[in-house]
Amino acid sequence: MLNQAIRLDRAEIAKYHNEGFLVIKDFMSVKTCEDLMQRAGELIEQFDVNIIKTIFTTKNHSKTRTQYFLDSADKIHFFFEEEALDEAGNLKFPKSRSINKFGHALHDLDPVFNEFTRSKKMASLIDGLGLKDPLILQSMYICKQPQIGGEVTCHQDGTFLFLQNEPVTGVWFALEDATLENGCLWAIPGGHQGKLKSRFLREENTTRMEIYDETPWDLTQMVPLEVKRGDAIVLHGFLPHMSKQNFSEKSRHAYTLHFMAGDNVYLPDNWMRRMVENPFTGF
Ligand code: FE2
């Protein structure tokens, strides 16, 4: 299935340009979802839980945490749900139930995620969206754990990955059904036609948010994007979107990727930086 190219029709492209997002039904099979989830489980299992002690409980914990985050550009680093750790840095739940997400170079470093990311189908999807000679900027695996899966407040992905020309393109893959109960995505249709409200900038080894527009998002315009396991959602880089807390008993695993065209320019003051010897690559 992933060996076959996908062709978006005109209506789909038009819908994407009008609304800023596009749901693609059955992008991948249930088997692919299971394989990616199984691999994610193995990676979490291999992750040394003692790292939590060094990163999340040292005296300079905020500095250490920031560094761990910044260093994740070309590695696989793990981040916890806010409610997963007690004050001493001990896990309140099993490790597999505590990870919020991991990234941001899964697509380069892990063979299973690499194969999925660099499949023929993926390349044809990105080509169909008009991105020539695309580069893969980052990958993330998001767990949205049962009961404690944290809210992601309304944002534009362009805030975190800013490009000189066209905004970044994101694709979100549902590895499990995403519903109102377990914290599906929400978005403001057409909201991508507005401007970018903020940028998350890197300065040396720290970060800061630069605000251009303080007007709050009109959350009454949000619509839920409930999707089935195997569906994909393309997200325009300026589309306002969010997801609510997962209070349910079900997890909501998803994999995400961000792309840019080869002739676009990735600005050097973005938070995520690749080493010169390890640049972004394409398919
Ligand atoms: Fe996002």
Side-chain angles (χ1 to χ4, degrees):
M1 191 179 184
L2 293 168
N3 295 329
Q4 289 173 356
I6 183 174
R7 248 184 102 94
L8 298 177
D9 61 32
R10 277 191 184 189
E12 287 173 308
I13 299 281
K15 194 170 162 61
Y16 175 60
H17 286 301
N18 284 335
E19 299 196 322
F21 64 87
L22 179 69
V23 175
I24 300 169
K25 293 262 164 220
D26 299 318
F27 180 84
M28 66 266 198
S29 66
V30 167
K31 171 78 167 65
T32 298
C33 295
E34 286 169 353
D35 290 348
L36 293 175
M37 285 183 69
Q38 188 187 332
R39 183 62 190 146
E42 289 165 9
L43 290 170
I44 291 171
E45 196 48 50
Q46 289 163 19
F47 167 59
D48 180 3
V49 83
N50 289 318
I51 290 178
I52 304 167
K53 290 282 173 204
T54 24
I55 293 165
F56 296 88
T57 62
T58 54
K59 264 191 195 164
N60 290 328
H61 72 93
S62 104
K63 209 171 160 186
T64 324
R65 262 190 209 200
T66 303
Q67 197 58 51
Y68 181 73
F69 169 67
L70 293 176
D71 288 346
S72 68
D74 55 3
K75 299 188 179 65
I76 303 174
H77 279 184
F78 294 78
F79 304 92
F80 290 89
E81 296 286 1
E82 243 170 57
E83 293 179 38
L85 299 164
D86 66 17
E87 282 182 8
N90 298 309
L91 286 177
K92 293 194 274 183
F93 306 91
K95 187 170 62 170
S96 62
R97 287 279 298 260
S98 304
I99 303 285
N100 166 285
K101 64 179 179 187
F102 53 96
H104 291 89
L106 268 164
H107 61 290
D108 284 336
L109 300 177
D110 182 78
V112 176
F113 283 94
N114 176 58
E115 193 183 338
F116 173 69
T117 303
R118 290 190 163 86
S119 62
K120 189 171 179 184
K121 192 165 191 177
M122 193 77 74
S124 62
L125 169 67
I126 300 308
D127 183 64
L129 291 166
L131 272 69
K132 297 295 167 225
D133 305 317
L135 295 173
I136 308 166
L137 302 180
Q138 69 167 39
S139 49
M140 264 191 294
Y141 190 97
I142 304 165
C143 299
K144 199 79 158 179
Q145 299 286 356
Q147 298 175 329
I148 58 166
E151 175 190 15
V152 176
T153 56
C154 185
H155 66 280
Q156 297 160 295
D157 287 349
T159 291
F160 300 96
L161 295 170
F162 188 75
L163 310 175
Q164 187 170 281
N165 305 321
E166 286 300 301
V168 70
T169 302
V171 193
W172 192 97
F173 304 92
L175 304 180
E176 296 182 292
D177 292 353
T179 65
L180 290 172
E181 286 72 38
N182 68 358
C184 67
L185 286 182
W186 290 68
I188 300 177
H192 66 299
Q193 289 165 21
K195 289 191 174 143
L196 188 70
K197 278 183 186 271
S198 60
R199 277 197 65 202
F200 185 65
L201 298 169
R202 175 150 177 186
E203 285 175 348
E204 301 288 332
N205 289 329
T206 178
T207 59
R208 74 180 170 90
M209 195 63 95
E210 195 165 85
I211 312 284
Y212 308 121
D213 177 357
E214 300 216 1
T215 329
W217 296 107
D218 181 1
L219 300 183
T220 61
Q221 294 185 49
M222 283 277 174
V223 299
L225 308 182
E226 288 187 286
V227 289
K228 286 278 175 207
R229 179 177 223 188
D231 294 349
I233 308 177
V234 184
L235 300 163
H236 183 281
F238 282 6
L239 181 77
H241 62 284
M242 59 176 280
S243 67
K244 300 183 180 181
Q245 190 167 346
N246 182 8
F247 292 114
S248 82
E249 293 300 321
K250 290 182 181 167
S251 56
R252 192 227 62 190
H253 287 218
Y255 179 58
T256 72
L257 292 167
H258 285 87
F259 300 91
M260 72 173 202
D263 64 355
N264 206 333
V265 179
Y266 182 84
L267 294 203
D269 56 358
N270 279 313
W271 77 266
M272 191 179 70
R273 287 183 193 167
R274 284 281 190 122
M275 295 295 180
V276 180
E277 62 275 18
N278 195 10
F280 298 128
T281 53
F283 292 95

